[in-house]
């Protein structure tokens, strides 16, 4: 019994000694980090388990050091404290304007009496902590606002007041957009992209272009995307579908009561992806040429009557649609969008330089082209002629008002 106990003691002692020696050898070959609460120690333990031979593993991505943040694009919104400018600024911060990956330096321009209010808008934007907004600059100085500006949304304009004739509105705003055209010409990036939102948008864009001779004429555009969006919504309601299923509705001409929303090239897409011409889905030419035209053309007035003020959020959203598609291109490359752009003199008989809404393709990287090979029926031709005649007269009157 004593002999068995002695053997057991020897075996236990030998085992313990061998285990200790093995542990010591292993420790000498690859020291195991001792548990501590230090983050560096935890990282060392992780590296030990991943590489037990003691070789160091880099926890940093090979590409991490070579990645550079996309430079912020300089964007200016005029009328930054106004209703549309206010909504537009927050949509911009959320990525609606230039997409979710483009950082922005946002300048908000206002007239001196609105200085405190535009600073309040900037405070709210900062409180929103939008990752895309790298810098927010509220200002009443056109040089500060437009210096190196790459995208300009000209929202600020004199609104039409009760009893004011459209010709009076045209004259008042001509002076504003003459000054803004000069400021863009003097201070902005020479490839700046401009969207005129303030009404009368087409005429204001033509004035702006006339006083910005050093800027590419094709870069100064006006907004008719709101009219397209309105038309799409009404058409979707008519056929019991949603707006996303309606494609290639276009608006021709002026952003006014002479505009021509056209469904002749449009189609709808059903739940299984089948396309059907929209004219067949609606199958009511009298409605398309009558009530539909009247409703789209008069939608702005209907909203003013209903809510006591002009369109705000829908206008800001449409401005984002215009710029985003221009910058990123449309999701489907053959999708037509409505953009009021300067005619090159070779598009549907529209005189050169007249800012007219055409069906356009947005190719991305701020490139667009007017689609010039669409066939037009007699009704469409007459509608286009009427709205272009109005545009030609407005250009003449607006430029005369700046002399």
């Amino acid at each position: 019994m004593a002999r068995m106990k002695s053997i057991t003691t020897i075996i236990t002692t030998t085992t313990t000694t061998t285990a200790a020696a093995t542990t010591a050898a292993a420790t000498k070959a690859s020291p195991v980090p001792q548990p501590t609460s230090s983050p560096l120690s935890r990282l060392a333990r992780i590296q030990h388990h991943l590489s037990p031979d003691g070789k160091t593993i880099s926890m940093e991505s090979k590409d991490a050091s070579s990645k550079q943040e996309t430079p912020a694009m300089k964007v200016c919104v005029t009328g930054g404290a106004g209703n549309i400018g206010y909504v537009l600024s927050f949509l911009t911060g959320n990525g609606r304007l230039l997409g979710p990956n483009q950082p922005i330096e946002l300048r908000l321009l206002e007239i001196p009496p609105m200085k405190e209010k535009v600073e309040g808008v900037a405070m709210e934007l900062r409180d929103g902590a939008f990752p895309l907004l790298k810098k927010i600059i509220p200002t009443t100085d056109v040089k500060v606002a437009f210096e190196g500006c790459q995208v300009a949304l000209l929202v600020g304009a004199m609104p039409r007041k009760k009893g004011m004739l459209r010709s009076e509105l045209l004259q008042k705003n001509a002076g504003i957009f003459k000054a803004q055209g000069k400021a863009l010409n003097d201070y902005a990036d020479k490839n700046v992209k401009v969207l005129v939102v303030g009404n009368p948008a087409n005429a204001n864009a033509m004035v702006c272009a006339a006083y910005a001779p050093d800027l590419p004429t094709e870069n100064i555009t006006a907004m008719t995307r709101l009219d397209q969006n309105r038309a799409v919504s009404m058409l979707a309601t008519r056929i019991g579908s949603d707006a996303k299923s309606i494609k290639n509705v276009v608006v021709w001409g002026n952003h006014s009561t002479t505009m021509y929303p056209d469904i002749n090239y449009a189609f709808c897409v059903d739940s299984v992806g089948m396309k059907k011409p929209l004219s067949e889905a609606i199958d009511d030419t009298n409605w398309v040429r009558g009530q539909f035209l009247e409703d789209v053309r008069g939608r702005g007035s209907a909203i003013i009557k209903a809510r006591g003020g002009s369109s705000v959020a829908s206008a800001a959203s449409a401005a984002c649609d215009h710029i985003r598609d221009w910058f990123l291109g449309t999701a489907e490359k053959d999708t037509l969008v409505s953009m009021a752009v300067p005619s090159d003199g070779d598009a549907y008989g529209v005189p050169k330089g007249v800012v007219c809404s055409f069906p356009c393709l947005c190719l991305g990287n701020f490139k667009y082209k007017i689609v010039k090979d669409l066939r037009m029926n007699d009704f469409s031709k007459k509608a286009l002629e009427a709205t272009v005649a109005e545009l030609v007269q407005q250009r003449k009157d607006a430029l005369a008002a700046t002399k």
Side-chain angles (χ1 to χ4, degrees):
M1 188 72 172
R3 179 179 177 81
M4 288 295 294
K5 183 175 181 180
S6 176
I7 293 171
T8 302
T9 301
I10 292 170
I11 292 173
T12 303
T13 303
T14 303
T15 304
T16 303
T17 303
T18 303
T22 303
T23 302
T27 302
K28 184 176 181 180
S30 179
V32 179
Q34 297 302 308
T36 80
S37 60
S38 167
L40 291 175
S41 298
R42 289 197 295 272
L43 179 58
R45 291 201 304 276
I46 293 170
Q47 288 181 335
H48 170 77
H49 289 299
L50 291 176
S51 181
D53 61 358
K55 293 181 180 180
T56 301
I57 294 178
S58 173
M59 302 300 286
E60 183 178 345
S61 168
K62 291 181 179 179
D63 297 331
S65 59
S66 62
K67 286 184 178 178
Q68 294 183 349
E69 186 176 1
T70 303
M73 193 171 290
K74 298 176 176 66
V75 175
C76 178
V77 176
T78 72
N83 290 332
I84 296 175
Y86 179 83
V87 176
L88 181 55
S89 297
F90 284 86
L91 292 177
T92 299
N94 268 323
R96 277 289 309 281
L97 187 75
L98 296 173
N101 301 315
Q102 177 58 58
I104 292 169
E105 179 181 306
L106 182 61
R107 289 94 173 270
L108 302 174
L109 178 63
E110 263 296 355
I111 56 176
M114 299 290 284
K115 183 177 185 294
E116 188 174 358
K117 288 189 176 181
V118 77
E119 288 174 350
V121 174
M123 290 168 65
E124 274 207 79
L125 285 168
R126 294 187 186 105
D127 291 348
F130 297 107
L132 290 177
L133 296 184
K134 300 305 179 183
K135 190 180 290 186
I136 303 163
I137 305 173
T139 183
T140 59
D141 186 330
V142 292
K143 182 177 180 180
V144 172
F146 289 140
E147 188 79 61
C149 176
Q150 295 163 288
V151 177
L153 296 105
L154 307 185
V155 179
M158 177 172 285
R160 189 173 181 179
K161 299 177 181 178
K162 187 176 181 179
M164 181 183 285
L165 299 175
R166 179 166 284 273
S167 58
E168 292 178 295
L169 181 67
L170 196 71
Q171 291 174 355
K172 295 288 186 183
N173 279 304
I176 294 173
F177 284 85
K178 173 183 177 179
Q180 292 189 351
K182 285 184 173 181
L184 285 166
N185 195 71
D186 291 344
Y187 305 122
D189 183 282
K190 292 309 177 185
N191 202 29
V192 62
K193 305 302 186 292
V194 180
L195 172 62
V196 176
V197 177
N199 287 319
N202 299 56
N204 291 340
M206 288 187 275
V207 170
C208 184
Y211 288 92
D214 298 333
L215 304 181
T217 305
E218 64 270 18
N219 286 359
I220 300 177
T221 69
M223 189 172 80
T224 52
R225 187 59 175 267
L226 176 57
D227 306 308
Q228 176 187 312
N229 290 350
R230 288 167 170 171
V232 166
S233 175
M234 292 178 193
L235 292 164
T237 300
R238 180 74 178 185
I239 65 172
S241 183
D242 57 57
K244 187 177 180 180
S245 70
I246 308 293
K247 309 289 184 182
N248 288 5
V249 175
V250 297
V251 173
W252 301 85
N254 197 8
H255 175 63
S256 73
T257 54
T258 67
M259 77 178 80
Y260 175 47
D262 186 357
I263 73 164
N264 286 302
Y265 322 104
F267 59 88
C268 53
V269 183
D270 64 21
S271 58
V272 294
M274 297 295 292
K275 297 180 180 180
K276 183 176 184 179
L278 196 55
S279 57
E280 292 183 14
I282 293 173
D283 194 26
D284 190 341
T285 302
N286 290 334
W287 179 82
V288 170
R289 295 182 176 182
Q291 190 66 49
F292 171 65
L293 286 186
E294 184 179 330
D295 288 347
V296 176
R297 290 169 172 172
R299 186 65 166 184
S301 297
I303 289 172
I304 291 172
K305 183 178 179 181
R307 66 179 296 270
S310 59
S311 302
V312 175
S314 58
S317 179
C320 288
D321 292 342
H322 179 114
I323 294 291
R324 185 192 62 248
D325 284 348
W326 192 3
F327 178 49
L328 297 176
T330 53
E332 295 90 14
K333 297 302 180 184
D334 59 347
T335 298
L336 302 178
V337 296
S338 304
M339 297 175 68
V341 300
S343 172
D344 59 5
D346 189 34
Y348 305 99
V350 180
K352 186 175 182 178
V354 170
V355 175
C356 175
S357 186
F358 291 106
C360 294
L361 292 176
C362 288
L363 310 176
N365 197 28
F366 281 123
K367 290 182 174 61
Y368 70 82
K369 70 175 182 179
I370 300 170
V371 179
K372 298 180 179 180
D373 57 354
L374 297 178
R375 294 183 179 181
M376 302 183 75
N377 58 35
D378 289 341
F379 182 87
S380 297
K381 289 178 181 178
K382 289 180 180 178
L384 179 59
E385 287 172 3
T387 192
V388 170
E390 181 184 56
L391 281 170
V392 170
Q393 186 61 49
Q394 283 192 356
R395 178 172 66 169
K396 180 180 178 181
D397 293 343
L399 292 176
T402 64
K403 304 301 182 184

